[in-house]
């Protein structure tokens, strides 16, 4: 049942290219750039009057929501708010019929997220969900659904469901841009093509990156603390990397926006706390490089993940993992992979129960 893999988590990490393909398949026409989302049931009319989108989720799904805020605001031009569901359900909300509420959930059963959409619906909001489980409670209660089609996820730590949430959210962004005529069809077509191509890119990098990480972890697995940093669309990926590491290896880890380090966390830097930095050659590359040079100047231990051919990074890193260049807005899909594999290999090295971490349940159906 694990198809030759030692754990479900590893199997599911390697299923990610297929998960992206399944999620995107048949939903974008690569000649015209037209996106079709039939189960969404909200057409151009309903979406044309939306003034704001409220994204609601927990844990890893919340990280997907944080990435989507960057995408939707950039390509569809609609203001986006992102809430942790347990906060959303109890804070005072400015939600009404001009706000679209989008719940993101692998299981479709998470109690806080469910309570959040019920509350938004009572306030008059249209509710849609991005969900992996067909027929789950959330999909039954929402006005429309975008299924992720990642296939059943057994490992408690979410991997392929997250990647397919990102793929679905990118598609949804293109759909919004289409109905609101925010970007030209040709640009939509190109972005759609690049989304589809990301599956092949991940397929190719997986074995190589896994092997490289396997040779690196001996010097990291015994650490007590870890920092993950990134900027822009990759800031949520730093949060996700830190969450993966803490849940399966029980190492204390935190994720930060790289520009935020100087406002406090830089005081923690020493040789005992490795910093994993996501540094692709994107629009904020120079800014991120100056942030990590500050870590270097304080004798921090740097694991960098950057763009193939970026030789400058080698001069500042202790370890470096190179990834192929893709469209900068699709980097979150690619840059998630090394952090998943690092967490996995460290957890295995520490003898942890990777598929069933202590104190955690796959689906959190109680408050
Ligand atoms: C982390 C993880 C959790 C879930 C969270 C939400 O690896 O799996 O943080 O992401 O409990 O679950 P869903 O997406 O089912 O609502």
């Amino acid at each position: 049942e694990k198809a030759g893999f030692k754990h479900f988590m590893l199997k599911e990490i390697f299923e990610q290219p297929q998960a992206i393909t399944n999620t995107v398949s048949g939903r974008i026409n690569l000649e015209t750039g037209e996106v079709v989302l039939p189960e969404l049931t909200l057409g151009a009319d309903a979406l044309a009057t939306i003034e704001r989108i409220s994204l609601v989720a927990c844990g890893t799904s919340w990280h997907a929501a944080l990435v989507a805020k960057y995408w939707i605001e950039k390509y569809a031009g609609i203001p986006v708010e992102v809430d942790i569901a347990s906060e959303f359900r109890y804070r005072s909300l400015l939600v009404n019929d001009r706000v679209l509420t989008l719940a993101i959930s692998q299981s479709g059963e998470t109690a806080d997220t469910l309570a959040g959409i019920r509350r938004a619906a009572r306030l008059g909001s249209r509710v849609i969900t991005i969900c992996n489980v067909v027929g789950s409670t959330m999909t039954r209660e929402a006005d429309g659904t975008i299924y992720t089609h990642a296939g059943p996820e057994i490992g408690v730590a979410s991997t392929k469901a997250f990647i397919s949430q990102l793929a679905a959210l990118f598609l949804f962004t293109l759909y919004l841009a289409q109905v609101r005529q925010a970007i030209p069809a040709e640009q939509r077509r190109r972005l759609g093509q690049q989304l589809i191509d990301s599956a092949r890119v991940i397929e190719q990098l997986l074995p190589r990156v896994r092997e490289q990480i396997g040779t690196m972890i001996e010097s990291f697995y015994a650490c007590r603390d870890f920092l993950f940093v990134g900027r822009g669309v990759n800031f949520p990926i730093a949060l996700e990397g830190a969450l993966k590491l803490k849940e399966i290896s029980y190492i204390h880890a935190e994720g930060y926006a790289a520009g935020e380090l100087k406002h406090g966390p830089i005081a923690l830097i020493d040789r005992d706390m490795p910093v994993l930095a996501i540094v692709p050659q994107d629009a904020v590359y120079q800014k991120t490089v100056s942030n990590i040079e500050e870590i270097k100047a304080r004798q921090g231990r740097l694991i960098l993940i950057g763009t193939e051919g970026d030789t400058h990074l080698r001069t500042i890193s202790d370890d470096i993992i190179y990834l192929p260049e893709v469209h900068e807005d699709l980097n979150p899909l690619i840059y998630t992979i090394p952090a998943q594999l690092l967490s996995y290999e460290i957890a295995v090295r520490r003898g942890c129960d990777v598929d069933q971490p202590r104190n955690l349940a796959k689906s959190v159906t109680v408050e």
Side-chain angles (χ1 to χ4, degrees):
E1 52 180 0
K2 290 180 198 150
F5 289 96
K6 202 166 159 220
H7 297 98
F8 282 110
M9 182 182 178
L10 189 62
K11 171 175 176 268
E12 289 162 3
I13 288 173
F14 275 79
E15 281 171 352
Q16 290 180 114
Q18 193 60 51
I20 294 174
T21 304
N22 291 350
T23 297
V24 179
S25 243
R27 287 170 161 173
I28 180 152
N29 181 326
L30 290 177
E31 263 129 52
T32 61
E34 194 198 354
V35 179
V36 284
L37 297 170
E39 311 114 326
L40 188 61
T41 64
L42 287 190
D45 300 349
L47 292 172
T49 53
I50 294 302
E51 290 172 3
R52 186 156 47 87
I53 299 179
S54 196
L55 302 181
V56 183
C58 300
T60 289
S61 300
W62 176 66
H63 296 150
L66 291 172
V67 175
K69 174 181 167 76
Y70 288 84
W71 289 338
I72 296 172
E73 292 191 341
K74 175 173 176 179
Y75 291 112
I78 307 171
V80 174
E81 260 186 275
V82 184
D83 271 87
I84 290 173
S86 57
E87 293 299 313
F88 184 83
R89 63 180 294 190
Y90 293 120
R91 73 181 178 86
S92 61
L93 289 180
L94 299 176
V95 165
N96 54 39
D97 60 357
R98 296 182 307 282
V99 176
L100 176 70
T101 303
L102 167 55
I104 303 161
S105 176
Q106 188 285 129
S107 61
E109 305 293 347
T110 302
D112 285 321
T113 312
L114 201 49
I117 63 169
R118 287 177 180 156
R119 186 158 174 233
R122 275 198 303 276
L123 292 166
S125 175
R126 297 282 205 126
V127 174
I128 57 177
T129 171
I130 288 185
C131 192
N132 196 43
V133 178
V134 176
S136 57
T137 310
M138 259 177 244
T139 65
R140 281 185 275 115
E141 294 199 10
D143 298 304
T145 297
I146 304 173
Y147 280 113
T148 38
H149 301 308
E153 193 178 60
I154 312 291
V156 164
S158 185
T159 53
K160 65 173 180 175
F162 176 67
I163 286 292
S164 62
Q165 285 168 348
L166 290 178
L169 284 160
F170 197 77
L171 260 184
F172 179 60
T173 302
L174 297 181
Y175 182 72
L176 286 172
Q178 168 180 307
V179 297
R180 317 240 326 176
Q181 298 176 355
I183 58 171
E186 171 52 21
Q187 188 181 3
R188 233 169 38 226
R189 192 196 59 74
R190 258 185 288 119
L191 289 167
Q193 181 69 61
Q194 282 157 321
L195 173 62
I196 288 170
D197 293 346
S198 68
R200 191 179 26 85
V201 174
I202 294 173
E203 179 103 60
Q204 285 167 358
L205 68 84
L206 268 167
R208 168 178 67 84
V209 172
R210 183 183 178 206
E211 198 183 309
Q212 192 191 347
I213 286 175
T215 65
M216 279 168 49
I217 53 146
E218 218 37 50
S219 53
F220 297 113
Y221 82 91
C223 290
R224 290 176 54 95
D225 308 276
F226 242 94
L227 221 54
F228 288 73
V229 301
R231 291 185 79 116
V233 279
N234 296 304
F235 159 45
I237 301 309
L239 297 178
E240 171 59 8
L243 178 62
K244 272 313 73 106
L245 186 65
K246 48 191 150 186
E247 55 177 340
I248 60 167
S249 77
Y250 318 138
I251 294 176
H252 166 236
E254 290 190 65
Y256 273 99
E260 187 66 8
L261 286 174
K262 55 182 164 303
H263 301 288
I266 201 161
L268 292 169
I269 302 294
D270 64 19
R271 294 301 293 169
D272 298 329
M273 185 188 61
V275 182
L276 181 146
I278 301 169
V279 208
Q281 285 176 326
D282 58 9
V284 286
Y285 172 73
Q286 287 303 340
K287 299 288 170 194
T288 317
V289 168
S290 12
N291 298 144
I292 57 178
E293 279 170 346
E294 284 165 27
I295 300 173
K296 182 80 185 162
R298 286 158 186 82
Q299 278 72 54
R301 218 163 124 192
L302 283 168
I303 307 169
L304 301 185
I305 314 179
T307 312
E308 258 157 23
D310 185 346
T311 49
H312 176 63
L313 293 187
R314 207 175 271 290
T315 66
I316 37 180
S317 62
D318 295 83
D319 287 280
I320 180 150
I321 299 167
Y322 283 120
L323 299 184
E325 185 169 4
V326 297
H327 187 286
E328 65 173 309
D329 285 309
L330 291 166
N331 276 329
L333 284 88
I334 314 294
Y335 281 73
T336 294
I337 313 293
Q340 291 172 339
L341 288 167
L342 185 79
S343 304
Y344 173 78
E345 295 292 349
I346 288 179
V348 170
R349 181 67 183 81
R350 288 165 71 94
C352 300
D353 186 349
V354 173
D355 285 332
Q356 288 286 329
R358 67 185 185 204
N359 309 339
L360 295 176
K362 182 67 188 160
S363 177
V364 186
T365 52
V366 291
E367 187 172 355

